[in-house]
Amino acid sequence: MTAEPNPHLLIAWAPEFIYVGNRFESNRALVCDAAGTVVEIVDTASLKDEKRINLPRRALLPGMVNAHSHAFQRVLRGKTEYRTANQRDSFWTWRELMYSAATRLGPEDIYDASRMAFLEMALSGITAVGEFHYLHHAPDGSPYDDPNVLAKEVIRAAGEVGLRIALLRVAYARSGFQTEPNPRQARFIESTPDRFLKHFELLARSVPGYARVSRALKLEESTPEACVPRDTAWIGIAPHSVRAVPLDYLKELIGYADQHDLKTHMHVAEQPAEVSACVEEYGRTPVALLQTEGLLSQRFTAVHAIHVTPKAIASFAQTGAMVCACPTTERNLGDGVVPADEYLKNQVALCLGTDSHTQIDFFEDARELEYHLRLQKLERAVLDDESQVSSFKSQGLAARLFDCATVNGARSIGAPGGALVSGKPADFFTVDLDDPSIAGATTEDLLPAIVFSSSRAAIREVVVAGKPIVSEGQHLLQEDVVERFSDLQRRLWH
Ligand SMILES: [Zn+2]
């Protein structure tokens, strides 16, 4: 005998507009099952016994996916905005300040800083994050009893806040080509690929997404409770950069990732000095090195990829590799401008990251991708797709930027969300149509209004797997997270 499905387990979210297939539709409801999966999007008139949640004056959009984060760097906000004595400030001087904070954080501090970063992400409509995690050891470089204790604190923080997380475990072998070891990097170093992979597999056995990872890694089965929920946390591989990981090490890691079908992220061409050091060591630019050694693939995401040649852009296009731009961080660090127009012209998919968390407002990253190019080229609508002009004149550019923040991010980190379609998780957020920053928008210009002009305060509800984590603009744990983070900052910077 088969039991009838219980209709009361279905929930229908009924806002004023839902973003489906790159446009807003009205009189529609998002129907989800009790497991938090989208069942269908239907006309509200055809709703029957579903539990209906009305969301008047709200537009509902798929949750955004932040493909590049260093959560602990949230502690640096406001602490580095000055010129250090007698020198030109740059990424490299900022990095020394960042290291001074990184060397002082214990496991509980990492948890508190990560919760703060993830909470802000949730408040900005982000429902999944790719955490590029490189703090592994105690401050003096000695391993903790559990070599993944810090990674687990980050995963725990994401779980508490309610975000999905891809823990992209970072391999870091050295300070750089012909560069003396920097004691402030001692927490990151795993000097051989064997050591890295041993720790990686230990982590694979313990993350909640073990079931998914274990199939990829062909590890033994874990305890049943460790197997669920499998799409909440999972892992990927992140060789830090060509500067920090020498070629032999890099090849072994990427070979492993290929064999096990793991997402691979790497900082690439963020700074001109990184490119010139690579040319000095290998006679090739970072992207040429990756291309000629066969290390690029559809699972590969190059983070930043700012200082690149046309040939490098063609290499990404040929291999299906993606690029993750982090505009709010790139402008803060003076990194340069991601040539997003060239990438899009060549069909290289772009996603977005909040990276150093100098600001967490994901629409700001989306709009800066375009705005940086406007300032550089002295023209407007640089990233608009001419082929789309006739069909969605006012929405084409905004939809393109929103895709970078959603579906492309999900593809980059292997997240299950990114779009509201049946079978995918009910990960979404709402915006208040009466928020002063977007008030007066029509259905046609609502998406451009949201992407280019909305304030973070317009985001009111955030739901992951059908469960609200933010309601009326407040996260359920907000007070506790902020209080503990403020305590941490007082201790860290007194
Ligand atoms: Zn980064």
Side-chain angles (χ1 to χ4, degrees):
M1 191 179 87
T2 51
E4 284 289 308
N6 181 352
H8 298 293
L9 290 179
L10 294 180
I11 294 170
W13 298 85
E16 198 154 322
F17 302 112
I18 298 186
Y19 188 72
V20 197
N22 278 5
R23 64 198 179 98
F24 283 103
E25 295 183 355
S26 52
N27 301 315
R28 307 274 279 166
L30 180 79
V31 179
C32 315
D33 65 16
T37 305
V38 174
V39 177
E40 56 185 343
I41 295 172
V42 296
D43 288 343
T44 44
S46 65
L47 288 174
K48 295 187 185 83
D49 298 329
E50 297 89 349
K51 183 186 166 198
R52 182 167 168 158
I53 299 174
N54 288 318
L55 297 167
R57 302 302 293 147
R58 295 282 196 270
L60 187 155
L61 300 95
M64 295 189 279
V65 180
N66 183 1
H68 190 71
S69 155
H70 309 285
F72 82 87
Q73 291 180 11
R74 176 62 182 80
V75 302
L76 287 171
R77 193 177 291 182
K79 312 290 185 194
T80 65
E81 305 303 335
Y82 61 91
R83 188 187 295 261
T84 40
N86 300 321
Q87 59 179 325
R88 183 169 171 266
D89 265 70
S90 67
F91 169 86
W92 306 102
T93 52
W94 170 85
R95 195 182 71 160
E96 285 306 310
L97 295 168
M98 182 268 283
Y99 284 173
S100 81
T103 49
R104 287 181 285 140
L105 296 165
E108 199 69 10
D109 304 333
I110 297 285
Y111 166 77
D112 284 326
S114 301
R115 276 208 319 173
M116 188 68 239
F118 296 150
L119 175 109
E120 262 199 292
M121 288 180 204
L123 294 173
S124 90
I126 290 166
T127 53
V129 59
E131 176 66 20
F132 198 98
H133 176 78
Y134 57 84
L135 288 177
H136 303 311
H137 315 307
D140 65 357
S142 59
Y144 289 108
D145 291 344
D146 176 350
N148 291 302
V149 65
L150 300 180
K152 289 176 186 171
E153 288 299 319
V154 176
I155 293 171
R156 182 164 75 96
E160 279 229 352
V161 171
L163 296 192
R164 300 179 195 276
I165 182 168
L167 196 293
L168 306 164
R169 196 181 188 284
V170 173
Y172 204 109
R174 61 176 192 178
S175 187
F177 175 56
Q178 293 180 343
T179 307
E180 288 300 310
N182 179 341
R184 288 172 144 185
Q185 294 166 343
R187 303 194 79 173
F188 325 155
I189 306 271
E190 281 156 337
S191 50
T192 67
D194 284 354
R195 194 165 176 73
F196 171 83
L197 290 172
K198 188 173 151 218
H199 294 163
F200 183 86
E201 293 201 342
L202 279 172
L203 181 63
R205 287 186 167 85
S206 63
V207 292
Y210 176 81
R212 175 171 152 167
V213 170
S214 67
R215 279 196 302 278
L217 294 183
K218 300 186 178 62
L219 299 175
E220 295 153 27
E221 272 306 318
S222 171
T223 52
E225 59 272 20
C227 295
V228 285
R230 69 171 63 160
D231 286 329
T232 320
W234 61 98
I235 56 177
I237 277 194
H240 182 277
S241 54
V242 289
R243 173 179 57 73
V245 183
L247 184 58
D248 285 351
Y249 192 142
L250 183 60
K251 282 162 92 169
E252 198 157 332
L253 254 53
I254 301 232
Y256 181 90
D258 286 345
Q259 201 184 340
H260 299 296
D261 198 23
L262 296 163
K263 297 290 183 188
T264 306
H265 281 220
M266 187 171 182
H267 291 131
V268 178
E270 179 176 7
Q271 283 286 324
E274 177 205 321
V275 177
S276 51
C278 185
V279 171
E280 198 186 333
E281 183 172 12
Y282 300 108
R284 286 165 280 177
T285 64
V287 182
L289 181 73
L290 294 167
Q291 160 77 343
T292 51
E293 297 292 338
L295 304 176
L296 296 173
S297 70
Q298 286 191 349
R299 286 175 294 90
F300 189 97
T301 297
V303 180
H304 304 299
I306 294 168
H307 303 283
V308 293
T309 60
K311 212 169 164 185
I313 294 170
S315 301
F316 290 135
Q318 281 156 20
T319 55
M322 297 181 72
V323 167
C324 179
C326 306
T328 51
T329 289
E330 286 150 3
R331 70 179 175 183
N332 183 270
L333 297 182
D335 283 339
V337 175
V338 173
D341 51 339
E342 294 301 321
Y343 284 128
L344 292 182
K345 256 182 236 162
N346 287 277
Q347 277 86 47
V348 176
L350 297 170
C351 55
L352 298 167
T354 56
D355 195 2
S356 70
H357 309 312
T358 191
Q359 182 178 12
I360 300 177
D361 181 341
F362 215 41
F363 283 123
E364 185 68 4
D365 283 285
R367 65 181 76 110
E368 290 303 326
L369 194 66
E370 160 74 20
Y371 279 166
H372 289 171
L373 290 166
R374 291 189 188 187
L375 291 172
Q376 197 180 44
K377 293 177 186 297
L378 311 181
E379 64 181 81
R380 302 187 75 251
V382 180
L383 297 178
D384 203 1
D385 181 355
E386 284 150 31
S387 64
Q388 295 289 319
V389 165
S390 56
S391 47
F392 294 111
K393 191 167 181 177
S394 61
Q395 291 207 12
L397 172 57
R400 244 184 163 184
L401 296 173
F402 192 57
D403 279 354
C404 296
T406 51
V407 278
N408 293 2
R411 194 191 119 199
S412 169
I413 67 166
L420 295 170
V421 290
S422 37
K424 288 219 179 197
D427 293 1
F428 61 85
F429 67 97
T430 67
V431 295
D432 177 4
L433 296 167
D434 294 325
D435 185 86
S437 65
I438 55 166
T442 64
T443 329
E444 281 68 41
D445 56 31
L446 181 56
L447 190 71
I450 291 171
V451 170
F452 284 96
S453 306
S454 67
S455 119
R456 203 174 79 183
I459 292 170
R460 305 308 291 168
E461 283 83 26
V462 182
V463 171
V464 177
K467 294 190 181 56
I469 59 171
V470 171
S471 44
E472 291 293 343
Q474 280 272 319
H475 190 278
L476 308 175
L477 299 176
Q478 194 154 327
E479 264 181 45
D480 182 54
V481 171
V482 170
E483 195 182 313
R484 283 188 55 142
F485 181 71
S486 301
D487 283 349
L488 165 64
Q489 289 294 72
R490 271 192 290 275
R491 274 185 283 118
L492 201 58
W493 303 101
H494 68 273

